[in-house]
Amino acid sequence: MEKDYLKYYHPNVLIGMVIIVFVLIYFTKESLGLSISIFSVLTLFIVLITRYLWNVRPFSWMFWFDDFSGRYEGKIVYQYLDGNGLLQTGELDHIKIVSQSGSKINITSFTKKADGSLSSPSVNKGMYVETTPDDQHFKMIYNYLNDGSQDQGFPPHYGTEVVKFIKDGNEKMLSGGYFTNRTPFQTKGEFKDLKWVSNNKKHDF
């Protein structure tokens, strides 16, 4: 398994599950005289949960994080200095696609420009998840890479986003902000009214 494959499991729950499944496999193997590898069956069981059953009860109770996956639509409020050193601000439609399994969270972001065309996508590189101090929500912190835009004269750049996941009943929202190392001037901004709209994770590009 890859490094940190089990990082989103409740440790005590995972250990208890491994022990129970190990015992069940062992006695089934002995009673039926099967020639199977206990380790292989146990590994397959964990992989199935992590990839396909992680958000299905009762398996979802084995994880300490929530289900963030889906498509979120809202606004991005941005600001940057132009070539003349003047502050430029604005607001554009913004979309985030969150793809998730029991071991990995991927976020792809893009913006709809004023003429209706799409910006180059930003894809996260790494992901750190923690609960908020009040244990009511989750915070995701990650770096991302954007290929830039030749049309707008924006070079490729890295950025960092700090996003809070808020769930209220069936409603899911993202809030937070970002900053970049784009040259010659850094940019920054915040997200506004980013609400979950569907489970459709198909990109618009």
Side-chain angles (χ1 to χ4, degrees):
M1 293 183 181
E2 63 188 69
K3 184 180 179 182
D4 295 333
Y5 188 80
L6 306 175
K7 63 182 177 180
Y8 296 126
Y9 278 89
H10 284 294
N12 293 337
V13 176
L14 177 61
I15 292 172
M17 183 271 292
V18 168
I19 293 174
I20 292 172
V21 174
F22 180 90
V23 172
L24 290 174
I25 296 173
Y26 175 79
F27 282 107
T28 300
K29 176 182 176 181
E30 292 299 310
S31 62
L32 299 180
L34 300 177
S35 178
I36 58 175
S37 167
I38 295 178
F39 178 77
S40 296
V41 175
L42 184 58
T43 299
L44 178 61
F45 184 71
I46 292 176
V47 169
L48 287 174
I49 293 175
T50 306
R51 290 186 179 179
Y52 306 110
L53 303 173
W54 62 274
N55 60 349
V56 179
R57 292 183 179 180
F59 303 106
S60 60
W61 296 336
M62 300 174 64
F63 298 87
W64 60 264
F65 70 170
D66 213 328
D67 182 359
F68 314 121
S69 60
R71 180 187 179 96
Y72 297 78
E73 296 184 2
K75 302 288 185 179
I76 187 171
V77 181
Y78 63 86
Q79 59 177 281
Y80 67 92
L81 296 178
D82 63 17
N84 297 317
L86 299 176
L87 180 66
Q88 301 294 328
T89 62
E91 184 177 290
L92 293 171
D93 291 334
H94 187 69
I95 298 97
K96 288 190 182 297
I97 307 292
V98 183
S99 301
Q100 189 174 351
S101 71
S103 64
K104 185 180 296 185
I105 302 171
N106 290 319
I107 299 181
T108 301
S109 307
F110 53 97
T111 299
K112 289 186 177 180
K113 293 179 282 190
D115 62 1
S117 61
L118 300 178
S119 70
S120 55
S122 299
V123 182
N124 71 288
K125 301 290 184 180
M127 175 67 66
Y128 175 74
V129 181
E130 64 180 10
T131 55
T132 55
D134 59 7
D135 291 325
Q136 295 296 309
H137 309 293
F138 292 89
K139 183 183 292 184
M140 294 179 282
I141 305 169
Y142 54 90
N143 296 321
Y144 66 86
L145 174 64
N146 185 289
D147 292 332
S149 171
Q150 291 184 347
D151 294 338
Q152 294 178 289
F154 293 160
H157 59 273
Y158 282 97
T160 299
E161 293 190 354
V162 180
V163 177
K164 182 162 70 172
F165 172 78
I166 302 171
K167 186 175 183 181
D168 184 8
N170 293 324
E171 184 174 321
K172 296 192 288 188
M173 297 179 60
L174 299 177
S175 66
Y178 73 96
F179 59 91
T180 78
N181 70 342
R182 198 177 72 191
T183 56
F185 303 108
Q186 290 183 316
T187 60
K188 64 180 181 179
E190 60 183 23
F191 307 116
K192 177 182 175 183
D193 297 329
L194 268 179
K195 296 182 179 181
W196 183 93
V197 295
S198 74
N199 276 319
N200 182 10
K201 303 181 200 49
K202 184 178 179 180
H203 294 180
D204 295 35
F205 46 84

